[in-house]
Amino acid sequence: MSSKPISQSNIPAAPQSARSLVPEYDFFRVVQGYLDQAAKVINLEPYVATILSQPKNEIIVNFPVKMDNGEVRLFKGYRVQHNNLLGPFKGGIRYAQMVTLDEVKALATMMTWKGSLMGLPYGGGKGGIKFDPRGVTKGELQRITRRFTHALGENIGPEYDIPAPDMGTNSQTMAWMMDTYSNMVGSNQKQSVKGVVTGKPVASGGTLGRTKATGQGMVHCLTEWARDKGFNLEGSTMIVQGFGNVGSHFGVLLSKLGVSTIAVGDHSGYLYNPEGFNAHKLQDYVLQNGSIGGYPGGKSITRDEFWGMKADICAPSALENQIGEVEARAIQAKVVVEGANGPTTPEGEKILLERGIDILPDVLANSGGVTVSYYEWVQNKRSETWTLDEVDEKLERAMKRVYKSVDDFARQRKVDRRIASYALALARIESVYKEREIFP
Ligand code: NAD
């Protein structure tokens, strides 16, 4: 999100072209559906599937915040802790008007699969507050964040549940969360709780390479895909929905490999530039202005035109439930790289696969974020500072190793990459349940 606060009165209503035209769907049920399919593939013990079918804890807090005009507003915050068999609950905090318990449950569940798939010592969690962060001032944003952290209290902690940025939050949000948490513990513990959140600014204990990590991980998946397919990325074209943290870093990093972003979209609308956008300049513009709206280097197009644009790569990097049947029929790309969580509906996915369009699924493609969060947490534990090269090299090795295991599994078991990713994640969790058995 942009660091620039925008006051409520300045927010233009999202144009019709920017709104999701895909009907509402039950995100958590969609994720459960993939769990069921993957469970069949590996003959998952039914009791393990039963445990994983629901989150361990669903926390809802309502907390008051004094706004700049003196009014007291009540906010609803969520933290869903899906599973912590492999390690502490881990997952982002989302600030958006559309946040619901169902959505946070789905996202928390997916975090369990990502941690397991990537071989990290983490379980899955996710949180959020239901409000539009663009509609408040920076001071209000800080008070909302601090009061939410306080309301969560002992439900988070560096060895228990570790939040990170997600949609609508960033490193600044994490600095406020960390500072609030460190003021809630005794003064003699302040230094040891830096790892309560990841995605912090570098000077406050963050790691180099975290901001771009999700986009960077997507690049590694895409380059592996391109190599296997004999596809030359240099000179290819891309469309990106969402030009926030994930979408913009993916665009910038791919521009260095000669990929030209020819269409972009966000909550303010969609733009087209047949010559290709300067991804750096567009990223800077969004950081300054909060959206691509008003960017001088492109022609305005509709949401339908965006999805139907001829380009080699399609990168949905905004939010869930964006590629339904209509969009899947319109997409002209060879590959869909899911930067967002859950951007493709099951119906959309079926059509894409029938049309021979490859999908690099969310739980694999965007797991660079949680992987580098893990590197940050390890550095905090050891009071170390790794160089950017160290972080980048570790991430590259991790992404390529896991990409290959997913691809091999998919080919051998004749399943798509999403089910392969779920199956590998579930198999690791199952093996630990079998060893430890069920308490008492
Ligand atoms: P962000 O807040 O930085 O950016 C979100 C983008 O989505 C913005 O460009 C915004 O304008 C756009 N958007 C919002 N509503 C839209 C709408 N109705 N139509 C079109 N565009 C819309 O968030 P982010 O961190 O880049 O996260 C984007 C996605 O990536 C989310 O699904 C998130 O869960 C996922 N993700 C993020 C990370 C991470 O490290 N930040 C890691 C893994 C997955």
Side-chain angles (χ1 to χ4, degrees):
M1 63 171 281
S2 159
S3 53
K4 190 178 174 184
I6 301 171
S7 78
Q8 188 88 55
S9 56
N10 287 342
I11 311 170
Q16 181 60 33
S17 65
R19 289 193 197 124
S20 167
L21 301 182
V22 182
E24 285 302 312
Y25 84 141
D26 187 339
F27 194 5
F28 183 56
R29 274 211 5 224
V30 168
V31 174
Q32 284 176 314
Y34 295 136
L35 165 64
D36 291 345
Q37 285 179 52
K40 283 199 189 100
V41 173
I42 57 164
N43 290 320
L44 185 74
E45 285 284 352
Y47 80 88
V48 177
T50 303
I51 295 169
L52 296 172
S53 69
Q54 289 293 331
K56 202 163 177 178
N57 305 312
E58 300 172 24
I59 300 153
I60 302 181
V61 292
N62 293 295
F63 56 95
V65 176
K66 198 176 225 178
M67 308 308 279
D68 288 353
N69 64 4
E71 177 205 348
V72 173
R73 258 177 78 183
L74 198 62
F75 289 83
K76 191 178 277 298
Y78 302 90
R79 186 71 188 170
V80 172
Q81 299 168 329
H82 177 257
N83 188 275
N84 62 348
L85 182 76
L86 301 177
F89 303 108
K90 181 86 190 85
I93 300 278
R94 177 173 285 198
Y95 288 174
Q97 191 61 57
M98 60 168 196
V99 167
T100 61
L101 181 60
D102 174 76
E103 178 189 56
V104 183
K105 280 168 69 176
L107 294 166
T109 309
M110 289 172 67
M111 287 308 298
T112 300
W113 314 148
K114 286 188 216 180
S116 176
L117 179 65
M118 294 306 295
L120 305 174
Y122 283 150
K126 201 86 179 190
I129 310 178
K130 189 177 181 56
F131 80 111
D132 180 2
R134 298 184 190 89
V136 301
T137 64
K138 192 169 179 184
E140 289 169 338
L141 202 54
Q142 176 171 175
R143 294 199 293 283
I144 294 164
T145 302
R146 287 187 182 277
R147 191 64 204 240
F148 177 51
T149 310
H150 189 265
L152 288 177
E154 291 177 352
N155 290 303
I156 59 171
E159 302 297 334
Y160 182 59
D161 184 354
I162 308 153
D166 189 72
M167 196 174 182
T169 58
N170 57 20
S171 58
Q172 173 64 80
T173 325
M174 294 304 116
W176 290 329
M177 285 192 86
M178 192 259 284
D179 187 71
T180 307
Y181 187 83
S182 71
N183 276 291
M184 285 159 45
V185 297
S187 349
N188 58 352
Q189 283 182 52
K190 269 191 180 176
Q191 295 312 319
S192 63
V193 296
K194 276 194 177 146
V196 63
V197 290
T198 58
K200 301 178 288 289
V202 175
S204 295
T207 181
L208 294 166
R210 174 60 183 92
T211 311
K212 63 162 184 160
T214 306
Q216 184 71 71
M218 291 161 69
V219 171
H220 294 316
C221 288
L222 180 65
T223 48
E224 289 302 280
W225 172 87
R227 205 200 43 187
D228 292 349
K229 297 276 166 183
F231 177 81
N232 191 4
L233 284 174
E234 171 133 32
S236 65
T237 52
M238 166 163 83
I239 62 170
V240 188
Q241 188 199 36
F243 217 70
N245 173 287
V246 175
S248 72
H249 282 289
F250 189 52
V252 167
L253 292 165
L254 278 186
S255 70
K256 294 177 189 160
L257 301 180
V259 179
S260 170
T261 298
I262 58 162
V264 289
D266 72 2
H267 68 278
S268 69
Y270 291 83
L271 293 175
Y272 169 59
N273 181 344
E275 307 299 322
F277 289 94
N278 180 324
H280 269 113
K281 278 195 183 156
L282 186 55
Q283 185 182 48
D284 284 347
Y285 181 89
V286 173
L287 285 171
Q288 291 297 316
N289 298 281
S291 76
I292 62 169
Y295 184 69
K299 170 180 170 283
S300 182
I301 52 171
T302 65
R303 185 180 185 277
D304 288 348
E305 286 169 328
F306 169 82
W307 289 114
M309 193 66 66
K310 190 158 175 35
D312 303 303
I313 303 155
C314 170
S317 307
L319 62 167
E320 62 268 16
N321 190 23
Q322 293 302 299
I323 303 178
E325 289 179 45
V326 174
E327 292 77 10
R329 281 204 187 88
I331 287 172
Q332 303 291 313
K334 296 179 177 62
V335 61
V336 172
V337 190
E338 293 186 337
N341 287 309
T344 313
T345 69
E347 298 74 25
E349 172 163 82
K350 190 162 174 279
I351 292 166
L352 288 175
L353 295 177
E354 277 167 9
R355 292 183 56 219
I357 300 172
D358 277 345
I359 302 175
L360 307 186
D362 43 21
V363 286
L364 168 68
N366 71 33
S367 60
V370 68
T371 304
V372 176
S373 273
Y374 166 64
Y375 302 157
E376 177 175 331
W377 185 68
V378 171
Q379 289 172 73
N380 290 161
K381 271 174 170 301
R382 299 185 191 160
S383 298
E384 286 180 2
T385 307
W386 300 355
T387 64
L388 182 58
D389 281 351
E390 277 177 272
V391 172
D392 280 349
E393 279 161 24
K394 281 194 169 70
L395 177 66
E396 181 170 358
R397 272 202 303 277
M399 293 304 303
K400 290 188 170 174
R401 175 177 48 80
V402 176
Y403 181 92
K404 186 174 181 326
S405 57
V406 168
D407 218 45
D408 288 349
F409 188 98
R411 213 171 316 106
Q412 284 158 12
R413 307 295 289 268
K414 297 192 171 36
V415 293
D416 61 59
R417 288 187 186 84
R418 190 183 315 280
I419 297 305
S421 303
Y422 271 62
L424 288 168
L426 287 170
R428 179 176 171 219
I429 296 168
E430 180 186 43
S431 68
V432 178
Y433 271 119
K434 281 186 174 166
E435 283 163 11
R436 289 173 56 165
E437 305 195 25
I438 302 298
F439 174 83

